[in-house]
Structures are given as structure tokens and as C-alpha cells.
Amino acid sequence: MVRNRVQCIIPPYVLEAIEANGTPEQRARAAATLRIDAVVRADRAEAPTAPPQPAADVTAHRRIYDAGNTTNLPGTLVRDEGDPDSADVCVNEVYDGFGTTLDLYGQVYSRNSVDDAGLDLIGTVHYATDFNNAMWDGEQAIFGDGDGSIFNRFTIAIDVIGHELTHAVTQYTAGLAYRNQSGALNESISDVFGSLVKQYHASPRQTADEADWLIGAGLWAPRIHGAALRSMKAPGTAYEDPLVGKDPQPATMDGYVTTRQDNGGVHLNSGIPNHAFYLAAVSFGGYAWEKAGRVWYDALTDPSLSSNAGFLEFAQLTVQKAEALFGADGRQRIHDAWAQVSITT
Ligand SMILES: [Zn+2]
């Protein structure tokens, strides 16, 4: 079992921009969010690394807790599997988002919960006060309320919920180390399947051409000039605002960012494999989870994928999987998608 860091949806560079540009109140909240991220990281670094054991009945139950604006985890149980709707929209959004994520993995990829052994899913809402983040801490998903001035509640975007649970899938499969290229792949895979959860959940379901390929649409409060946190279709264009800065994601290796910040740019360079997936999905056409998603899922869950895999190792594995699944035509489409982001398989 690979020891995992806490994995947050909002990267430190966004919070640091708010610290530099915000009002005193906004600065204080950004600083508090960065501090709490660090505290949770430290807690988990000392925690035992053994994963929670699968439930005996091997059917995943969803359990949603309320932290009551404290940092106590998991908090008070407020909705167990099968319970009726809560009066609290955040509770229902997480419960339903967990449900769609279980359905996508179960119905499309025959995966029984995130660990493929029926692991119960734990989510905590109303974590801390005005907390501007959502995260997977190695054992459960955690959602802040947002401060209302820069961020809305973090349960508002179902792709963010799918993103956090996909960190768990990666934890139980490839265990991609959360730094540099393997970390950017880890982030990208969470965006890929988070976006597929959103497309699968839409009514009617969306094809690759119909999807917006945005991650976290609705998360920015109205005053912030931005459509979402990230764009898989056009990395680097999701937001631009004096308070939070400009989306810094590259779309191809030509813009690859070498940095020590953000665990070596895990939320930056993820734009490159994100864009390759988008290109592959559009090339195949139809529902993205059926072909491109299947190729990515088979690569992620192949025991030969190393925990320190770089972009090229993963890309080469997707080409192999595409050929096995869809023959020479599939192989060519995946090869071409990676070539367009300047990765030659
Ligand atoms: Zn993440």
C-alpha cells in the first residue's frame, strides 16, 4: 500500500493568489485553508497505512457525515445508505454523487466500489468554516462550504465528487505517487473519471461532442470571472480573474511546467494528459466512457503500470490497451491523441 498524501481539488497556487490579492478577510480564509490542508496532511502522514477493510456484505454503503463546521472527522452521521433525502442540500449532493460514481464504475467497468471489494464510501460535509477546498485524505472525501465570496459549496459539482473518489480508485490500483509526472497523471485520472461521472449523470447522457469537458463548473462564486477550475478541452482557459489569477494549465508538452510547488505541478501538468483524453474521446465519438474511458480504465488497473509512471509510460500502455480492445483503428486514434499533446508513443 502506497502512503498517500491528502489530495485537494484546489491547488495551493490559487489559494496563494487569493492571499496576495484578496481583502483581509479573504486572505485570512485562504491562509486558514492552506493551514488546514497542511494539518490534515500531517495527521494522515502519521496514520497507519493499512486501508479500511471491505464491508463483509461486499455491497458498498454510502455514509454521509456532518462536521458541523469543525475539523473533527468524520463528524456526525446524517445520512446512511437507504435513508431518505436530507433537508441539507450538501448531504444529498454527496450521497447522489457517490451513487453515480458507484454506478459508472460498477455498470461500465464492473468495478465493485473504489477498491473493487465493496468498500463503503465515507463523505463529510460542512468541514471547517468557510473552507475553500474538497479533498480525499486516503480514507474519506471531505467537502468545505466555500466562503461564498470566491467559492460556492464544494458539493455543487458532481465531477468534483467523482474526482475525489477516483483518487481512491487510483490509491487501490496503480498507486500513482503524488508528485511530478506520476502525480499529474494521478490528478488527470481523477479529472478524466470525474468528467465521465458528470457526462454519465447528465439527463440525457452526454456524448463526447456534447460534453463541456469542464472540471468544477459552478464552483466559482458569481463575482469570479471563470467557467470552472479546469478545462480538458482547452487547458489554460477555465478562469481569469484579478483575484484568483489565470488558469495556468498547459495543453501540450511544449508548455510543461517544471516546479517544486504543488507537488511538482500536479494540478498544472495534468492539463497535458487531460487534453490527450479529450482528444481521444472526441476521436472515437459517442459516449466517452465506452471507448476512451475503457482504454484509460484498463491502463490504470493494469498491474504493470508502475507507481512512478511518467506520461510516456502511461501513454504507451493506453496504446496497447486500445489495440487489444479496438484493433489497429483504436491504436491509431490513441497514438494520434498523444501525438497532439507532443507525446510520441
Ligand atoms: Zn485531485
Side-chain angles (χ1 to χ4, degrees):
M1 194 62 209
V2 174
R3 178 168 293 190
N4 280 273
R5 292 166 187 260
V6 171
Q7 295 155 336
C8 302
I9 193 85
I10 303 296
Y13 52 77
V14 172
L15 298 169
E16 283 158 8
I18 297 167
E19 273 197 301
N21 305 321
T23 64
E25 197 177 30
Q26 290 166 339
R27 290 179 191 200
R29 285 177 188 144
T33 298
L34 281 164
R35 241 187 348 259
I36 292 173
D37 291 354
V39 167
V40 177
R41 280 194 183 96
D43 282 355
R44 291 306 183 193
E46 292 161 8
T49 55
Q53 292 305 301
D57 62 3
V58 298
T59 299
H61 286 198
R62 295 164 284 179
R63 294 207 176 87
I64 315 302
Y65 293 79
D66 186 339
N69 296 119
T70 73
T71 56
N72 300 327
L73 292 173
T76 305
L77 180 65
V78 288
R79 191 171 177 194
D80 205 341
E81 184 68 40
D83 285 352
D85 278 4
S86 165
D88 182 337
V89 65
C90 296
V91 170
N92 297 329
E93 284 170 340
V94 174
Y95 185 89
D96 294 343
F98 279 9
T100 303
T101 305
L102 287 171
D103 284 349
L104 175 78
Y105 280 110
Q107 293 168 10
V108 178
Y109 306 119
S110 301
R111 184 175 191 82
N112 181 10
S113 189
V114 295
D115 64 343
D116 202 19
L119 186 75
D120 289 345
L121 300 182
I122 310 293
T124 294
V125 300
H126 306 306
Y127 178 75
T129 303
D130 298 325
F131 186 63
N132 283 330
N133 227 331
M135 50 202 179
W136 173 257
D137 77 348
E139 297 178 13
Q140 67 158 101
I142 299 167
F143 300 90
D145 291 334
D147 62 7
S149 81
I150 301 172
F151 289 105
N152 289 317
R153 65 183 189 275
F154 278 77
T155 56
I156 201 169
I158 193 168
D159 48 347
V160 169
I161 296 172
H163 175 108
E164 299 308 334
L165 291 183
T166 298
H167 278 310
V169 175
T170 299
Q171 175 182 329
Y172 283 98
T173 55
L176 291 163
Y178 204 60
R179 59 178 178 273
N180 303 330
Q181 284 199 14
S182 59
L185 271 178
N186 188 320
E187 266 304 308
S188 174
I189 284 161
S190 275
D191 279 352
V192 162
F193 290 97
S195 185
L196 294 182
V197 166
K198 177 177 164 183
Q199 294 166 34
Y200 192 73
H201 178 258
S203 182
R205 290 175 175 170
Q206 293 174 335
T207 64
D209 282 330
E210 291 163 350
D212 63 16
W213 297 99
L214 296 171
I215 302 297
L219 264 188
W220 294 119
R223 59 166 295 185
I224 302 296
H225 191 258
L229 299 178
R230 293 186 279 279
S231 169
M232 299 177 66
K233 182 175 184 175
T237 68
Y239 63 88
E240 183 167 7
D241 186 277
L243 186 52
V244 297
K246 181 184 183 302
D247 176 2
Q249 279 208 316
T252 75
M253 288 302 284
D254 304 327
Y256 187 87
V257 181
T258 302
T259 175
R260 288 185 175 181
Q261 294 194 315
D262 184 30
N263 294 316
V266 297
H267 295 87
L268 294 167
N269 295 315
S270 57
I272 298 165
N274 272 4
H275 194 50
F277 182 84
Y278 159 80
L279 292 166
V282 169
S283 172
F284 279 119
Y287 294 127
W289 54 84
E290 290 181 348
K291 291 187 174 174
R294 165 57 72 177
V295 168
W296 254 242
Y297 181 80
D298 282 5
L300 175 68
T301 55
D302 188 318
S304 77
L305 182 63
S306 60
S307 60
N308 288 309
F311 292 172
L312 183 59
E313 179 182 333
F314 184 76
Q316 287 171 330
L317 191 53
T318 60
V319 169
Q320 285 177 31
K321 297 298 181 188
E323 181 161 36
L325 287 162
F326 307 115
D329 174 73
R331 177 191 174 91
Q332 190 66 44
R333 288 181 196 277
I334 296 290
H335 171 87
D336 290 349
W338 287 109
Q340 287 179 73
V341 301
S342 305
I343 292 174
T344 306
T345 60

